[in-house]
Amino acid sequence: TRAIEDGLLALERSAAPRVRAGDLSAQDGARTRIEAERARGDTQAAELARTQAALALAQRIARGPDIEATPADWPARTTPPTPATDLEALADQRPDVRAAQARVQAAQATLEGALALRKADVTVGASYDHFPGTSTRLLELRAQFPLQWGYRFEGEVQRAQAQLDQAQEALAQTRRAALLDLQALQAALASAAQRAAGYEDGIVPRARQVAQSAELAYAKGAIGLTDLLDARRTLRATLLEAIGARADYAKAQGLWQLRTQPNPSTQP
């Protein structure tokens, strides 16, 4: 797709001086530019597919993401996530990550309880006995502690430590998967926003201009019916592609908001 885009861009650059020199009609020059911009949209879609494949590979090999998912130029009419968005904070708000954090806290409490078994609880007490009619009085002092010579509850402590290690590893994996998922959503939203804006700002207006020029030229007898139908067909195909681009952007934006907006029922 990149090679096709480069070829069409070169064709567009060569068409511009031909239009100025009168060797090529303005309508054909506009068509060349439309095709170049459509190829640019295809390239953006291919780059998104590559980004998603890289994220999927990173998740498979259990490594952190190493890509830049946020482009520098956002379309003005859209409101995608800014580059300053803290994806790690958003990932920590997800229910699966919060559940994994709760399991880590429970495992930590279990380990602390197992370590507490090693401490000897000493019980100190006193009693005073008095026997009426006599002068006998009895004062008793007591100190009681368990005898656990050579036993340090190693089994309980090691089991609790293993459970804590498993919970921490599960938390790291869940947080990494959540971060990769958010970066994939952010990349999809960025690509969809750029593609939709490209159609709305450039491709569709030029396709309409070409169609209007064809209608005018046909009305004056400058072109035949075949060229007019071709211009109408190009406009129709462009409008359908623009509708698809806007639909893809709406889906990507809705999915991003669904995954990032906090759920009121889970707030403390």
Side-chain angles (χ1 to χ4, degrees):
T1 57
R2 177 70 69 180
I4 295 175
E5 179 187 357
D6 293 340
L8 289 174
L9 287 176
L11 183 61
E12 177 190 359
R13 288 191 296 268
S14 64
R18 293 181 58 190
V19 172
R20 290 193 298 268
D23 183 52
L24 187 67
S25 66
Q27 183 177 0
D28 291 337
R31 286 181 181 177
T32 303
R33 188 169 184 180
I34 291 173
E35 294 299 329
E37 293 186 354
R38 292 173 66 181
R40 185 180 297 111
D42 293 339
T43 301
Q44 292 175 354
E47 289 176 351
L48 173 61
R50 182 187 64 83
T51 299
Q52 292 175 337
L55 289 170
L57 178 61
Q59 187 172 5
R60 287 283 185 176
I61 63 179
R63 290 183 55 187
D66 190 19
I67 62 172
E68 181 63 33
T70 305
D73 48 342
W74 293 95
R77 66 172 49 81
T78 59
T79 56
T82 60
T85 300
D86 190 356
L87 294 183
E88 294 184 357
L90 292 175
D92 289 338
Q93 296 175 3
R94 288 170 52 124
D96 52 350
V97 178
R98 292 167 65 93
Q101 290 173 344
R103 287 190 289 269
V104 171
Q105 294 174 357
Q108 182 66 40
T110 302
L111 177 60
E112 293 175 356
L115 292 174
L117 294 175
R118 292 181 174 181
K119 298 180 181 180
D121 296 331
V122 180
T123 303
V124 178
S127 63
Y128 176 78
D129 297 328
H130 171 64
F131 299 95
T134 65
S135 61
T136 303
R137 293 177 177 83
L138 181 61
L139 177 63
E140 181 181 1
L141 299 176
R142 298 186 304 274
Q144 182 180 4
F145 57 90
L147 297 178
Q148 298 173 352
W149 302 107
Y151 186 64
R152 300 286 294 169
F153 295 94
E154 297 295 338
E156 290 82 353
V157 173
Q158 291 180 2
R159 181 176 60 184
Q161 183 64 55
Q163 292 175 351
L164 177 59
D165 293 340
Q166 292 177 356
Q168 290 176 340
E169 179 63 24
L171 173 60
Q173 293 179 356
T174 303
R175 182 181 285 116
R176 182 168 51 247
L179 184 60
L180 290 170
D181 182 53
L182 289 176
Q183 283 205 331
L185 293 176
Q186 192 181 41
L189 180 56
S191 177
Q194 286 184 337
R195 187 165 179 264
Y199 271 94
E200 190 168 346
D201 293 339
I203 299 178
V204 172
R206 293 188 182 92
R208 291 185 185 277
Q209 183 180 3
V210 169
Q212 291 173 359
S213 300
E215 296 285 350
L216 180 61
Y218 178 76
K220 294 183 177 182
I223 62 174
L225 180 59
T226 303
D227 294 333
L228 175 62
L229 294 178
D230 184 57
R232 290 178 177 177
R233 190 181 301 110
T234 301
L235 176 60
R236 177 180 175 82
T238 303
L239 291 176
L240 290 176
E241 291 175 358
I243 293 173
R246 293 298 297 177
D248 292 341
Y249 168 68
K251 293 178 183 178
Q253 190 178 40
L255 188 57
W256 170 263
Q257 293 176 353
L258 181 64
R259 296 291 183 89
T260 57
Q261 288 182 350
N263 188 355
S265 61
T266 61
Q267 296 301 308

